[in-house]
């Protein structure tokens, strides 16, 4: 081996050995310190006297900050008051500390990474025991072989800072501070050689507290000591150490020009690069050695100890020889407690002897067993684990050991249980879902068939629940569903099943039914509990439920048929007014089929142009002439013929297509009214009904504006008829919509007034124009003998007076006799409509009714 290679090898060894040594041997035990109230001047004087580059600020025995020569650059030298500032205001905090057992190599790396030049060295309790600087690390690194091989030029890592000798000291300090340089070259003239100013020079000026020299040239140290660029770093370090300085100039061999400055920090950076490089090289060599030593027992033990799986080695006589830390973590048994014992100490009692006999039979034949097993921890807790056992044999094939590797699968089992719950239980209410309900119903049917008894299922649906979600939001709706689930569950017997199929649909399974009356009584109990008020987020809500009941075996022998028939009975309960229950009958199937057929046809009716409008006249009660027209929609189905609005309007609302139909009616009615005007007929208002669902699902003012724009109808000839239900839902929002319509010039009337519920205070707030007296009240004015009834006449008179007191028009619908018309006229009713005047007719037939007295009978009365 030649001299250079031998030196390199020695260097690597030297770096490795010295870098692994701890810093407690190079730490400066004397810790220069001051209190937080000490001034900058006092701290600088203490540092200058001790020839120390830093001072630790100590409060109550604990280091709280540090002030260094570098920090001195931030002091305003032109302001004497700056020297009197407390050191606590300018110190660096928190103090960078390092443990006394840290290696020299790691300390050097931390200097580089954290950009500092001092660490307070602390002991195990965190108390300061000294300080270590970059210079200490350089001098204590023990890498002379490496330094002798590296030229000085290799350590130049940053440009030097040069300052004209005539610059002020403040300018010089600011330039050094901005460049984060700890020293700068001070240029001279032909007669004055270059000098150097360092952080320590600035510190001494502060400590002197005297007059600050006007130029940096007066402060600079001369001459500047230099070393040639091709000299070794070892020679540079020796010069720095001998002269007691921390900077040396580097000169060019060729020209003698100054190339830069070399400091202890530069040498340390070079050392750390080499240290990292050698460390990386050593790690690669170690990895290669580990791969070559894979079968080495010591390596195997380390791998086992680091494993997150529990590992246990048992000898052929069933005595535990070894366990790893993960085993202790999972079972609670330490190595001292378990080694030498039989693995039976872990048995949970969950498995019988046949289980273990089968395990050892498989091991004897296959040398391997894997599966789920339940074991017991030291604290008595039983837990599941996934266990793998491998048989270890010697060269003769004899079993010497068993190696068991296991992992705790408690969380996995919990996850499986959660997944199972998600598959079988409703997330919101915690009730069984459709899948679990179907399974339980299937079992109940089999049991009922075997023992010859009845069972019943109830299908529940909350009435008008969609309004809660639409008006108050799904969060409130969800709380109502949770409370509903609790109320239903409270009503049933032990052994019954309450399930949520989805949305607001619930089912109840009564697996054993002694009497049909029991199911009816339960339905009544559920209805009574559900209709009690719900208090949700300060809202008092009222919800009712409709229930259908199907009984096995009379109403069906399979899961599908029973659920379908209970659903059919539930819809029958809704059709009969809701908030009730119905027992399934065979006749319901025919009606259900008819409903399905109508639903299917209704979805396509608009596209197939099956809707028509007819128009019923409104007349002025005084002169009998036409004052308005109400547009009424009719459905002409090619097979079912004319379908009554009483049948298809509620169905359209339930299906969610009423808004599309309503928009078509509005547009068609406006177009017809504009056509009459274009023919030169006297202008009349056309009234169009707007459902409550349209107010929820659409922007009514936008829809009206679009219809008026498309047809060209002036807005004053359009009247919208709303029910009281629309007014009472989200009152503030409805008021805003009605005001927008009124601003457009559209008139508003309240249809079927008196059949719902209205607040007079709300009516005063609403921008409406007319109240329509419902036909049921008009019909009650006279009895069967054509005599005025006291109650019927009083109600009609009250509504008319109420309208006039609110400065609204009163309109009566359903007028069929001259006596009714005359009574209404006598009470001041402004307009009437009904079969007495005209039945609903087509737009063309209505033309003949314009400009005629349509109440001749009334005038004769």
């Amino acid at each position: 081996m030649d001299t250079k290679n031998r030196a390199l090898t020695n260097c690597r060894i030297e770096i490795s050995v010295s870098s692994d040594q701890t810093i407690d041997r190079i730490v400066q035990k004397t810790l220069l310190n001051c209190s937080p109230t000490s001034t900058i001047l006092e701290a600088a004087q203490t540092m200058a006297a001790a020839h120390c580059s830093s001072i630790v600020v100590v409060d109550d025995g604990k280091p709280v900050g540090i002030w260094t020569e570098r920090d001195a650059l931030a002091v305003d030298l032109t302001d004497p008051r700056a020297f009197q500032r407390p050191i606590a205001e300018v110190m660096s905090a928190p103090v960078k500390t390092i443990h006394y057992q840290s290696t020299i190599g790691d300390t050097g790396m931390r200097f580089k990474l954290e950009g500092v030049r001092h660490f307070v060295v602390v002991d195990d309790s965190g108390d300061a025991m000294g300080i270590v600087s970059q210079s200490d690390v350089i001098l204590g690194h023990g890498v002379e072989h490496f330094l002798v091989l590296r030229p000085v030029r290799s350590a130049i890592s940053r440009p030097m800072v040069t300052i004209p000798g005539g610059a002020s000291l403040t300018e010089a300090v600011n330039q050094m501070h901005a460049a984060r340089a700890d020293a700068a070259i001070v240029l001279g003239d032909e007669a004055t050689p270059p000098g150097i100013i360092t952080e320590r020079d600035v510190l001494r000026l502060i400590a002197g507290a005297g007059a600050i020299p006007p130029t940096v040239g007066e402060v600079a140290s001369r001459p500047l000591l230099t070393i040639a660029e091709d000299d070794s770093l070892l020679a540079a370090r020796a010069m720095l150490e001998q002269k007691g300085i921390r900077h040396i100039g580097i000169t060019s061999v060729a020209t003698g020009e100054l190339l830069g400055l070399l400091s202890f920090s530069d040498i340390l950076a070079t050392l750390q690069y080499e240290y990292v490089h050698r460390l990386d090289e050593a790690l690669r060599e170690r990895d290669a050695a580990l791969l070559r030593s894979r079968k080495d027992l010591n390596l195997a033990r380390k791998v086992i100890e680091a494993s997150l799986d529990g590992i246990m080695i048992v000898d052929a006589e069933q005595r535990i020889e070894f366990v790893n830390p993960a085993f202790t973590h999972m079972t609670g048994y330490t190595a001292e407690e378990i080694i030498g014992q039989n693995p039976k100490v872990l048995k949970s009692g969950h498995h019988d002897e046949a289980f273990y006999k089968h395990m050892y039979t498989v091991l004897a034949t296959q040398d391997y067993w894997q599966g789920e097993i339940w074991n017991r921890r030291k604290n008595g807790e039983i837990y599941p684990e996934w266990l793998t056992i491998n048989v270890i044999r010697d060269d003769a094939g004899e079993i010497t050991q068993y190696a068991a590797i296991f992992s705790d699968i408690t969380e996995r089992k919990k996850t499986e249980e959660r997944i199972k719950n998600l598959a079988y239980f409703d997330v919101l209410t915690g009730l069984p879902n459709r899948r679990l309900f179907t399974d339980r119903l299937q079992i109940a049917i089999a049991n009922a068939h075997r023992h010859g008894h009845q069972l019943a299922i109830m299908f529940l649906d909350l009435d008008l629940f969609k309004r809660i979600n639409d008006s108050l939001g799904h969060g409130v709706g969800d709380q109502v569903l949770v409370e509903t689930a609790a109320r239903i569950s409270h009503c049933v017997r032990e052994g019954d099943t309450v399930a949520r199929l989805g949305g607001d649909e619930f089912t109840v399974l009564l697996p054993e039914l002694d009497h049909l009356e029991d199911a009816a009584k339960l339905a009544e109990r559920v209805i009574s509990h559900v209709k009690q008020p719900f208090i949700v987020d300060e809202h008092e809500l009222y919800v009712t439920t409709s229930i259908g009941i199907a009984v096995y075996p009379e109403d069906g022998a399979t899961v599908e048929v029973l659920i379908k028939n209970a659903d059919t009975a539930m819809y029958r309960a809704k059709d009969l007014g809701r908030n009730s229950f119905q027992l399934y009958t065979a006749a319901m199937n025919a009606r259900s089929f008819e409903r399905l057929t109508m639903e299917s046809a209704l979805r396509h009716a608009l596209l197939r142009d099956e809707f028509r409008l007819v128009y019923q006249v409104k007349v002025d009660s005084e002169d009998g002439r036409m004052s308005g027209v109400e547009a009424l929609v009719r459905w002409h189905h090619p097979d079912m013929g004319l379908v009554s609005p009483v049948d298809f309007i509620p169905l359209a609302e339930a299906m969610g297509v009423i808004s599309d139909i309503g928009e078509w009616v509005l547009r068609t009615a406006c177009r017809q009214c504009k056509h009459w005007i274009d023919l030169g007929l006297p202008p009349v208002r056309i009234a169009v009904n707007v459902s409550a669902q349209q107010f929820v699902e659409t922007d009514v003012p936008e829809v009206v504006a679009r219809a008026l724009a498309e047809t060209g109808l002036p807005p004053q000839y359009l009247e919208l008829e709303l029910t009281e239900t629309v007014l009472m839902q989200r009152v503030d929002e409805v008021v805003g919509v009605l005001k927008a319509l009124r601003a457009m010039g559209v008139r508003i009337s309240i249809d079927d007034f008196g059949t719902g519920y209205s607040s007079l205070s709300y009516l005063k707030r609403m921008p409406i124009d007319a109240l329509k007296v419902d036909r049921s009240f008009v019909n009650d004015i006279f009895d069967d003998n054509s005599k005025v009834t006291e109650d019927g006449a009083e109600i009609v008179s009250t509504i008319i007076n109420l309208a006039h007191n609110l400065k609204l028009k009163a309109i009566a619908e359903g007028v069929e006799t001259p006596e009714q018309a005359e009574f209404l006229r006598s009470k001041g009713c402004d307009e009437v409509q009904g079969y007495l005047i005209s039945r609903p007719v087509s737009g063309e037939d209505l033309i003949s009714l314009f400009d005629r007295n349509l109440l001749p009978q009334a005038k004769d009365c």
Side-chain angles (χ1 to χ4, degrees):
M1 184 182 295
D2 57 31
T3 303
K4 182 177 181 181
N5 288 337
R6 192 160 45 245
L8 283 172
T9 301
N10 291 337
C11 174
R12 293 176 186 175
I13 297 173
E14 187 87 23
I15 288 178
S16 176
V17 171
S18 62
S19 297
D20 287 340
Q21 292 178 351
T22 56
I23 61 172
D24 59 336
R25 72 179 188 86
I26 64 170
V27 64
Q28 299 177 37
K29 303 295 184 181
T30 302
L31 189 66
L32 193 66
N33 64 83
C34 66
S35 72
T37 58
S38 299
T39 64
I40 292 177
L41 176 61
E42 292 170 343
Q45 289 173 339
T46 302
M47 291 166 62
H51 302 287
C52 189
S53 60
S54 65
I55 188 168
V56 177
V57 182
V58 177
D59 187 16
D60 196 21
K62 295 290 184 181
V64 296
I66 190 170
W67 195 69
T68 68
E69 291 175 344
R70 174 169 293 179
D71 296 324
L73 296 180
V75 178
D76 185 358
L77 301 179
T78 62
D79 183 5
R81 293 175 300 177
F83 298 174
Q84 299 303 318
R85 292 178 63 189
I87 200 70
E89 295 181 7
V90 294
M91 68 183 182
S92 299
V95 179
K96 299 287 185 179
T97 62
I98 192 167
H99 192 265
Y100 77 101
Q101 288 295 315
S102 299
T103 65
I104 294 176
D106 288 342
T107 304
M109 287 296 294
R110 282 196 57 190
F111 276 131
K112 180 69 174 177
L113 293 174
E114 299 193 26
V116 297
R117 291 188 296 184
H118 302 84
F119 282 120
V120 173
V121 182
V122 296
D123 57 19
D124 293 331
S125 62
D127 293 331
M129 57 180 291
I131 195 166
V132 65
S133 67
Q134 287 183 343
S135 302
D136 299 326
V137 171
I138 295 298
L139 298 176
H141 226 301
V143 288
E144 286 76 7
H145 286 82
F146 170 73
L147 294 178
V148 77
L149 298 174
R150 298 296 296 267
V152 169
R153 74 172 72 89
S154 66
I156 300 177
S157 60
R158 52 185 175 177
M160 63 180 175
V161 178
T162 58
I163 303 171
S168 69
L169 186 60
T170 299
E171 291 173 342
V173 169
N174 290 342
Q175 191 172 341
M176 290 171 62
H177 191 265
R180 296 186 61 82
D182 55 0
I185 300 296
V186 179
L187 302 176
D189 50 25
E190 294 181 357
T192 307
I196 185 172
I197 182 172
T198 68
E199 295 169 344
R200 181 157 293 181
D201 296 325
V202 176
L203 181 74
R204 288 170 179 165
L205 288 173
I206 296 173
I212 302 300
T215 65
V216 68
E218 298 179 48
V219 181
S221 299
R222 293 187 176 87
L224 173 65
L225 297 180
T226 62
I227 191 170
E229 61 177 321
D230 57 358
D231 280 341
S232 70
L233 284 176
L234 181 62
R237 192 190 77 169
M239 181 179 293
L240 291 170
E241 187 176 2
Q242 291 169 5
K243 300 294 184 180
I245 58 177
R246 291 187 297 172
H247 302 84
I248 191 172
I250 304 174
T251 57
S252 169
V253 174
T255 64
E257 293 180 355
L258 195 61
L259 301 178
L261 284 174
L262 178 71
S263 68
F264 279 115
S265 296
D266 299 322
I267 298 176
L268 181 62
T270 303
L271 283 175
Q272 293 315 310
Y273 170 81
E274 187 67 21
Y275 173 64
V276 172
H277 176 72
R278 300 307 176 197
L279 183 60
D280 182 61
E281 199 173 83
L283 289 173
R284 286 199 301 270
E285 291 178 358
R286 187 182 68 177
D287 289 343
L290 288 176
L291 290 175
R292 290 191 301 269
S293 307
R294 198 186 315 181
K295 296 182 181 180
D296 184 85
L297 182 60
N298 183 49
L299 174 61
R301 181 179 293 271
K302 289 184 178 180
V303 171
I304 290 171
E305 289 176 350
S307 174
L308 296 178
D309 289 332
I311 298 175
M312 175 176 66
I313 298 177
V314 180
D315 65 18
E317 284 73 37
Q318 299 294 305
R319 292 189 300 267
I320 299 174
E321 290 185 336
F322 170 84
V323 294
N324 70 339
F327 175 95
T328 299
H329 175 73
M330 280 187 252
T331 68
Y333 288 102
T334 64
E336 292 77 11
E337 293 172 324
I338 201 71
I339 289 177
Q341 295 203 48
N342 191 293
K344 289 182 179 180
V345 71
L346 302 173
K347 290 177 69 172
S348 63
H350 196 80
H351 308 285
D352 55 21
E353 288 303 319
F355 174 85
Y356 295 102
K357 183 177 180 181
H358 173 72
M359 176 193 295
Y360 282 103
T361 299
V362 173
L363 284 171
T365 57
Q366 301 180 15
D367 286 355
Y368 174 85
W369 183 90
Q370 186 177 62
E372 182 179 307
I373 187 171
W374 289 79
N375 274 338
R376 186 185 302 273
R377 306 188 205 273
K378 181 181 177 181
N379 62 7
E381 178 187 353
I382 296 174
Y383 70 101
E385 65 182 35
W386 186 257
L387 174 63
T388 301
I389 303 176
N390 288 283
V391 174
I392 302 174
R393 298 180 183 271
D394 59 17
D395 293 339
E398 297 296 325
I399 297 177
T400 60
Q401 291 162 314
Y402 298 92
I405 304 174
F406 63 93
S407 56
D408 187 340
I409 58 172
T410 301
E411 288 304 317
R412 192 181 82 184
K413 300 289 283 187
K414 289 181 180 178
T415 301
E416 290 174 355
E417 186 65 24
R418 285 194 292 268
I419 293 172
K420 180 181 176 182
N421 285 340
L422 289 174
Y424 288 100
F425 290 88
D426 175 52
V427 175
L428 177 64
T429 63
L431 295 177
N433 61 12
R434 180 185 294 271
R435 182 176 180 181
L436 182 54
F437 178 80
T438 302
D439 289 347
R440 291 185 179 178
L441 179 55
Q442 184 69 58
I443 294 171
I445 290 174
N447 188 57
H449 176 73
R450 185 180 306 113
H451 296 96
H453 61 245
Q454 291 180 309
L455 67 81
I457 67 167
M458 300 168 55
F459 200 106
L460 299 84
D461 185 270
L462 300 184
D463 300 324
L464 305 177
F465 178 73
K466 187 174 184 295
R467 292 183 181 178
I468 294 178
N469 279 338
D470 291 340
S471 59
L472 299 177
H474 288 273
V476 173
D478 286 348
Q479 293 183 61
V480 171
L481 291 175
V482 171
E483 176 61 22
T484 300
R487 293 184 182 185
I488 299 173
S489 299
H490 181 72
C491 295
V492 301
R493 308 167 300 180
E494 184 178 359
D496 297 340
T497 295
V498 180
R500 181 185 178 216
L501 301 192
D504 58 336
E505 294 180 341
F506 297 86
T507 53
V508 178
L509 168 62
L510 308 175
E512 293 186 20
L513 189 67
D514 297 328
H515 305 285
L516 186 58
E517 292 80 6
D518 294 340
K521 290 178 181 178
L522 175 60
E524 290 175 344
R525 190 158 62 249
V526 169
I527 290 170
S528 175
H529 277 66
V530 171
K531 74 178 182 181
Q532 298 303 313
F534 291 81
I535 308 299
V536 180
D537 295 344
E538 300 181 355
H539 298 286
E540 185 176 69
L541 306 175
Y542 290 87
V543 178
T544 59
T545 182
S546 299
I547 302 176
I549 303 174
V551 178
Y552 171 90
E554 290 84 350
D555 301 331
T558 66
V559 170
E560 293 78 10
V561 173
L562 280 172
I563 293 177
K564 178 178 74 69
N565 289 343
D567 186 30
T568 300
M570 182 272 295
Y571 273 109
R572 180 61 176 164
K574 282 187 177 292
D575 291 341
L576 294 177
R578 304 186 179 93
N579 195 32
S580 63
F581 72 91
Q582 286 289 309
L583 295 166
Y584 173 77
T585 63
M588 292 180 183
N589 258 341
R591 181 170 179 82
S592 178
F593 179 76
E594 179 184 343
R595 179 188 177 94
L596 288 173
T597 302
M598 189 178 294
E599 281 186 7
S600 178
L602 188 57
R603 292 189 184 279
H604 305 289
L606 200 58
L607 292 176
R608 293 172 179 169
D609 196 25
E610 294 174 359
F611 290 112
R612 299 290 183 271
L613 289 189
V614 293
Y615 304 91
Q616 189 171 36
V617 174
K618 299 179 187 177
V619 299
D620 188 285
S621 295
E622 291 296 330
D623 60 17
R625 295 188 179 278
M626 187 188 303
S627 58
V629 176
E630 181 177 0
L632 303 170
V633 63
R634 298 290 185 265
W635 181 18
H636 291 268
H637 189 271
D639 298 323
M640 293 184 287
L642 183 63
V643 183
S644 170
V646 175
D647 293 327
F648 78 81
I649 292 295
L651 187 59
E653 290 180 337
M655 293 170 56
V657 298
I658 191 65
S659 295
D660 294 333
I661 296 174
E663 188 169 350
W664 177 86
V665 170
L666 176 66
R667 189 169 55 252
T668 305
C670 290
R671 186 179 295 112
Q672 179 64 69
C673 189
K674 181 63 166 60
H675 175 66
W676 291 328
I677 295 173
D678 292 342
L679 290 177
L681 298 173
V684 294
R685 295 188 312 277
I686 189 159
V688 177
N689 291 283
V690 179
S691 76
Q693 197 163 332
Q694 283 179 268
F695 260 75
V696 173
E697 296 179 348
T698 63
D699 185 341
V700 175
E702 181 182 340
V703 171
V704 171
R706 187 164 59 243
L708 293 173
E710 290 178 5
T711 61
L713 178 68
Q716 64 266 29
Y717 297 125
L718 176 62
E719 180 177 354
L720 299 182
E721 293 191 1
L722 316 174
T723 64
E724 290 175 283
T725 304
V726 174
L727 298 183
M728 299 306 294
Q729 290 182 350
R730 297 182 291 184
V731 174
D732 293 335
E733 184 177 334
V734 170
V735 169
V737 172
L738 296 186
K739 286 182 177 179
L741 292 169
R742 170 65 69 81
M744 294 166 56
V746 176
R747 291 172 58 87
I748 308 294
S749 63
I750 306 304
D751 196 13
D752 302 334
F753 185 78
T755 60
Y757 49 92
S758 294
S759 165
L760 292 181
S761 62
Y762 287 162
L763 286 178
K764 289 176 64 178
R765 292 176 57 192
M766 301 288 181
I768 55 181
D769 300 284
L771 300 181
K772 290 189 72 174
V773 182
D774 186 66
R775 66 179 66 249
S776 63
F777 299 136
V778 173
N779 188 55
D780 288 342
I781 296 174
F782 295 95
D783 60 16
D784 294 340
N785 297 318
S786 299
K787 293 185 179 296
V788 175
T789 64
E790 183 176 348
D791 291 342
E794 190 63 35
I795 290 175
V796 172
S797 298
T798 300
I799 294 176
I800 293 172
N801 290 334
L802 173 64
H804 290 162
N805 289 335
L806 294 173
K807 296 182 174 51
L808 307 175
K809 280 196 172 186
I811 305 171
E813 60 181 358
V815 179
E816 298 183 357
T817 67
E819 291 80 12
Q820 292 171 342
E822 178 58 27
F823 177 87
L824 292 165
R825 186 194 63 76
S826 68
K827 296 300 181 182
C829 186
D830 300 287
E831 297 178 2
V832 296
Q833 72 178 102
Y835 285 179
L836 175 65
I837 296 96
S838 172
R839 289 179 174 272
V841 297
S842 68
E844 293 302 318
D845 291 341
L846 193 75
I847 293 176
S848 63
L849 303 180
F850 277 86
D851 203 20
R852 285 175 49 187
N853 186 335
L854 300 177
L855 275 178
Q857 299 93 333
K859 287 182 177 292
D860 295 338
C861 295

